[in-house]
Amino acid sequence: MTRGWGQPGRTASGPARAELLRQRNLALALGTIARAGRCARAQLAEQTGLTKATVSSLADVLIASGLVVEGDPDRGLVGRPGSPLGLDPSGPVGLGVEVNVDYVSACVVDLAGEVRASAVLASDNRGIDAREVCERAARLARSLLSSPPVSGLRVAGLGVALPGLVDTTGVLRRAPNLRDLEGIAAAAVIAELLPELPSTVACGNEANLAALAELWFTDHEGRDDFVRVSGEIGVGAGIVIGGELWQGTNGLAGEIGHVFVDPGGPRCTCGARGCLEHIAGQEALLRAAGAYGGPATALGSGLGSVHELVTLARSGDGATLDALERAGTALGVALAAVVNVVDVPVVVLGGLYADIAPWLASAIVRELEQRVVSYPWAPTEVAVSPLGAGAAVRGAAGLAIRAVLDDPASWHPDTA
Amino acid sequence: MTRGWGQPGRTASGPARAELLRQRNLALALGTIARAGRCARAQLAEQTGLTKATVSSLADVLIASGLVVEGDPDRGLVGRPGSPLGLDPSGPVGLGVEVNVDYVSACVVDLAGEVRASAVLASDNRGIDAREVCERAARLARSLLSSPPVSGLRVAGLGVALPGLVDTTGVLRRAPNLRDLEGIAAAAVIAELLPELPSTVACGNEANLAALAELWFTDHEGRDDFVRVSGEIGVGAGIVIGGELWQGTNGLAGEIGHVFVDPGGPRCTCGARGCLEHIAGQEALLRAAGAYGGPATALGSGLGSVHELVTLARSGDGATLDALERAGTALGVALAAVVNVVDVPVVVLGGLYADIAPWLASAIVRELEQRVVSYPWAPTEVAVSPLGAGAAVRGAAGLAIRAVLDDPASWHPDTA
């Protein structure tokens, strides 16, 4: 699913092993500083289990790389003053770009996982030439990067989230809702359109990247096993097991949008009938609620109409509440299949579903309770994502950040 | 899913590490001999990459343990005669026992994976006291062990296959088709009823064990990623990824029988409506084909009626062909959900479905083709298991065998 950066060497002969150890220790130190915010060398030694001498040497490397800065001795602490280490505020950031069915978006995320800047452009991309769609995304990204809060920062890499199945070469192989992009290596095209950026590019399916964002950027209370379902025009899921994204044999896992839930449903863009997407996808929901205002444009509709859906639901509109009840039931049926087959203890509602969770949750819980065979003694937890609609693009930026966090020595500020 | 034998130590301090290395080398040597059938020491050294001295020392240990025998020098080979090593034909065997809804079965499998003896007793176990069901299984196992082909062999351990969700303590937590066994540690009860056996007991869900049998005992052509669906009265699946059973967070993965396929279906034993089991389970199929002869007894029906189903299908019986078409469609819908969500490239039809595969396959392929989003460029392969109805019990016996193959030093013939 996530392509572009090489994996650290797995065959560890003599010198390679020493190199690997150094990389791991650097990553450990940088990760600890990033999480802590501020961290004296002594604390760093304590938290990493490394000697003070090793920590000092690692800190020097990280400072020289422009990843970490040393502040003034912190005299507020008890005992000897320590010079706190912190992330260099002008250090590298990751650029995330998302191409979705009815919008493009971009965001800039720093090593601490903070969003420094973000932008969304509502625009229906269906039926639009692939190159033009990539140009929309690249223009938005360039405009974002030139905006004041982030204009001076150096970009470590580009991550791209795509609404479909991405193969091992980065080609979008199937995107039922965005056929014109099929067969295109959209991330590579966007990267070519941004020649001012470094050449490190990764990409992945939007639901998978949203699940990684959940794992990386939220306080998920140690829940390292969950399925996160993302509601957009398409419906996708990302499965995280043991703190890692479950990618399947070909990197294509999580296609929940085409799980069968309704024999009477219309024919889906995938060719089959009864797919979840046709009851619980964004457009299907909006249509059923009478809130569909046509394709998204930069001037409105699209993302905006989700707010309309919420407004209608709050006002007690009958058609809207019926549509939400049907969507919740369909989601519950499909999620029960996932939980029965994969066995994950937590379901996270993301994207659109986070906004309308109050009206979906009881139907989802009812179906899980009825259908999940292990429910009576291991009830499935239903949680709501705090990340909102920006999860996937944040996960995409996260790919670039993780590459630096996992291998700090790969970051060479001079070449960025 | 599989419980009972301890895992080899994972924290490897000095002496533990040496012990682990020795265990791994012993396992490597024994596994190579088991696969080869006959193997000279020189060949063994070549195939394992170990020195001849190490191989000789390992062979001596394996011979002293009664696991391996050394034959007469094999003068048929070119070059220096080598004394071929082979598995000791009187070496340890694994005892597998299966308790299912309408039968109990037992089998004895040797270290090469060969079934030395097996027995099936058709008997409807629904509504029968749990202890009585366990006694049926234990009686069958004892009778099998006293039969001539295996009566002198030493049993290394007992593996038990159960038709439901087995928790980490070996308790059958949920068995919608065999409610009387819920809450019972059936494997432990059966082991107590067989005090003449060693105390090593493992157990697991029958569909998972059938998938392991597929992996261990068939020439699956290097396909280390597949989902195996087992048709019995219940319908279960075992998912193998990278040559390992995918167990899920709680060891409960693969519950495909309760995936939603038909909103008009009757209420299932699980409490929900529309479950796969009610269209594609054995009894549902037999009823729809007009071939249901009532609950299984030792005198007939049960397993026997599957043959009747095949006979009816071969004769072109309309109701039977309709029932098989519906079952194939339902299986295809549920398997498409598994493939979309988990991303496995191969679907293996096992149990009942292996017998009736000719009448199911086209509907299954049609649904996969229509519903699996990656199908156009990564078509799902549909294969038929060669193991027949005995796969789960063979997998159960395999648990006992694997324990010896993984740690040959754990086998002490004197104490067995």
Side-chain angles (χ1 to χ4, degrees):
Chain A
M1 194 282 315
T2 60
R3 317 287 170 201
W5 283 292
Q7 293 231 324
R10 297 212 168 188
T11 55
S13 58
R17 194 178 293 165
E19 184 56 36
L20 208 59
L21 188 65
R22 185 170 160 274
Q23 175 186 325
R24 204 152 49 205
N25 285 343
L26 267 179
L28 185 62
L30 183 59
T32 306
I33 294 165
R35 271 192 307 277
R38 276 164 75 92
C39 183
R41 287 176 194 232
Q43 278 178 281
L44 189 55
E46 199 182 310
Q47 289 187 26
T48 58
L50 299 169
T51 65
K52 288 186 186 174
T54 303
V55 159
S56 257
S57 146
L58 294 171
D60 290 345
V61 172
L62 293 172
I63 291 167
S65 308
L67 292 166
V68 161
V69 285
E70 190 153 27
D72 291 328
D74 191 340
R75 297 192 180 275
L77 295 173
V78 176
R80 281 196 309 148
S83 298
L85 300 165
L87 290 178
D88 188 331
S90 65
V93 290
L95 171 64
V97 167
E98 181 179 2
V99 173
N100 215 314
V101 185
D102 60 344
Y103 64 90
V104 293
S105 66
C107 77
V108 172
V109 177
D110 66 22
L111 291 186
E114 292 301 315
V115 177
R116 296 285 196 95
S118 68
V120 182
L121 176 70
S123 66
D124 200 305
N125 295 318
R126 284 170 290 194
I128 307 293
D129 175 67
R131 175 120 194 138
E132 166 57 22
V133 174
C134 291
E135 280 173 358
R136 285 178 181 177
R139 277 196 300 271
L140 185 71
R142 179 175 289 128
S143 143
L144 182 69
L145 286 173
S146 67
S147 69
V150 294
S151 58
L153 298 177
R154 287 159 304 171
V155 175
L158 166 68
V160 178
L162 297 168
L165 300 180
V166 181
D167 77 9
T168 50
T169 66
V171 171
L172 187 60
R173 290 307 296 260
R174 201 156 186 215
N177 294 308
L178 213 49
R179 282 275 148 87
D180 288 282
L181 256 75
E182 289 185 351
I184 305 290
V189 174
I190 293 169
E192 274 170 31
L193 292 165
L194 296 166
E196 66 272 31
L197 295 186
S199 60
T200 43
V201 183
C203 63
N205 167 271
E206 53 93 10
N208 283 352
L209 291 176
L212 284 174
E214 203 73 41
L215 182 72
W216 290 335
F217 303 130
T218 71
D219 174 21
H220 52 98
E221 292 161 16
R223 292 180 304 217
D224 280 349
D225 305 294
F226 59 85
V227 55
R228 182 191 196 275
V229 61
S230 290
E232 315 274 345
I233 287 182
V235 179
I239 301 167
V240 171
I241 304 281
E244 295 198 9
L245 184 68
W246 172 253
Q247 304 201 48
T249 302
N250 300 305
L252 308 174
E255 282 298 315
I256 197 179
H258 303 279
V259 166
F260 174 84
V261 294
D262 175 27
R267 193 162 292 283
C268 179
T269 46
C270 80
R273 277 187 195 281
C275 296
L276 173 64
E277 228 162 82
H278 274 280
I279 297 179
Q282 179 179 309
E283 279 192 2
L285 255 171
L286 291 174
R287 277 181 212 277
Y292 182 63
T297 69
L299 296 174
S301 182
L303 289 176
S305 47
V306 173
H307 297 294
E308 196 179 338
L309 193 68
V310 171
T311 307
L312 283 166
R314 283 209 181 110
S315 75
D317 178 71
T320 302
L321 294 177
D322 284 353
L324 290 167
E325 166 67 22
R326 277 199 305 280
T329 302
L331 270 169
V333 168
L335 287 167
V338 175
V339 175
N340 272 327
V341 168
V342 183
D343 180 17
V344 278
V346 182
V347 164
V348 181
L349 304 179
L352 163 65
Y353 302 141
D355 296 319
I356 57 175
W359 298 279
L360 297 175
S362 70
I364 292 174
V365 170
R366 183 190 66 228
E367 294 299 321
L368 289 171
E369 188 170 1
Q370 201 169 42
R371 298 182 179 280
V372 172
V373 184
S374 59
Y375 199 97
W377 85 95
T380 316
E381 184 188 341
V382 178
V384 177
S385 168
L387 292 179
V393 71
R394 205 160 154 192
L399 292 177
I401 291 166
R402 297 304 302 190
V404 176
L405 287 171
D406 290 346
D407 184 8
S410 70
W411 169 243
H412 301 290
D414 305 338
T415 61
Chain B
M1 194 281 319
T2 60
R3 316 287 169 202
W5 283 293
Q7 293 231 323
R10 297 213 170 186
T11 54
S13 58
R17 192 179 295 167
E19 184 57 38
L20 209 58
L21 188 66
R22 184 168 161 276
Q23 175 185 324
R24 204 153 47 203
N25 284 343
L26 267 179
L28 185 62
L30 183 59
T32 305
I33 294 166
R35 270 193 307 279
R38 276 163 75 89
C39 184
R41 288 177 193 231
Q43 277 177 282
L44 190 56
E46 200 182 309
Q47 289 187 24
T48 58
L50 298 169
T51 66
K52 287 186 185 174
T54 304
V55 159
S56 257
S57 145
L58 293 170
D60 290 346
V61 173
L62 293 172
I63 290 166
S65 309
L67 292 165
V68 161
V69 285
E70 189 153 28
D72 290 330
D74 191 340
R75 297 189 182 279
L77 295 174
V78 176
R80 281 196 309 148
S83 298
L85 299 166
L87 289 178
D88 189 332
S90 65
V93 289
L95 171 64
V97 167
E98 180 179 2
V99 173
N100 215 314
V101 185
D102 60 343
Y103 64 91
V104 294
S105 66
C107 78
V108 172
V109 177
D110 65 23
L111 291 187
E114 293 300 315
V115 176
R116 296 285 195 94
S118 68
V120 181
L121 176 70
S123 65
D124 201 303
N125 295 316
R126 284 170 289 196
I128 308 293
D129 176 68
R131 175 119 193 137
E132 167 57 20
V133 173
C134 291
E135 280 174 357
R136 285 177 182 176
R139 278 197 299 271
L140 184 72
R142 179 175 288 126
S143 144
L144 181 69
L145 285 174
S146 66
S147 68
V150 294
S151 58
L153 298 177
R154 289 158 305 170
V155 175
L158 166 68
V160 178
L162 297 168
L165 300 179
V166 181
D167 77 9
T168 50
T169 66
V171 171
L172 187 60
R173 290 307 294 261
R174 200 155 186 214
N177 293 308
L178 213 50
R179 282 273 148 87
D180 288 281
L181 255 74
E182 288 183 351
I184 306 291
V189 174
I190 293 169
E192 274 169 31
L193 292 165
L194 296 165
E196 65 273 31
L197 295 187
S199 58
T200 43
V201 183
C203 64
N205 166 270
E206 52 94 11
N208 282 352
L209 291 175
L212 283 174
E214 203 73 40
L215 182 72
W216 291 334
F217 303 131
T218 71
D219 174 19
H220 52 97
E221 293 161 15
R223 292 181 302 220
D224 281 350
D225 305 295
F226 59 85
V227 54
R228 183 191 195 278
V229 60
S230 290
E232 315 272 345
I233 288 181
V235 179
I239 300 166
V240 171
I241 303 279
E244 296 199 9
L245 185 67
W246 172 253
Q247 304 200 49
T249 304
N250 300 306
L252 308 174
E255 283 298 315
I256 196 178
H258 303 279
V259 166
F260 174 83
V261 293
D262 174 27
R267 193 161 293 283
C268 179
T269 45
C270 81
R273 279 187 196 280
C275 296
L276 173 64
E277 228 163 81
H278 274 280
I279 297 179
Q282 178 178 309
E283 279 192 2
L285 255 171
L286 292 174
R287 277 182 213 276
Y292 183 64
T297 70
L299 296 175
S301 181
L303 289 177
S305 46
V306 174
H307 298 293
E308 198 180 334
L309 193 67
V310 172
T311 307
L312 283 165
R314 284 211 180 109
S315 75
D317 178 70
T320 302
L321 295 178
D322 283 354
L324 290 167
E325 166 68 22
R326 277 198 305 278
T329 302
L331 270 168
V333 168
L335 287 167
V338 175
V339 175
N340 272 328
V341 168
V342 182
D343 180 17
V344 278
V346 182
V347 163
V348 181
L349 304 179
L352 164 64
Y353 301 141
D355 296 320
I356 57 175
W359 298 279
L360 297 175
S362 70
I364 292 173
V365 170
R366 183 190 65 228
E367 294 300 321
L368 290 170
E369 190 171 359
Q370 202 169 42
R371 296 182 180 280
V372 172
V373 184
S374 59
Y375 199 96
W377 85 95
T380 316
E381 183 188 343
V382 177
V384 177
S385 168
L387 293 177
V393 72
R394 205 159 154 195
L399 293 176
I401 292 167
R402 297 304 301 191
V404 176
L405 287 172
D406 289 346
D407 185 9
S410 69
W411 169 244
H412 300 291
D414 305 338
T415 62

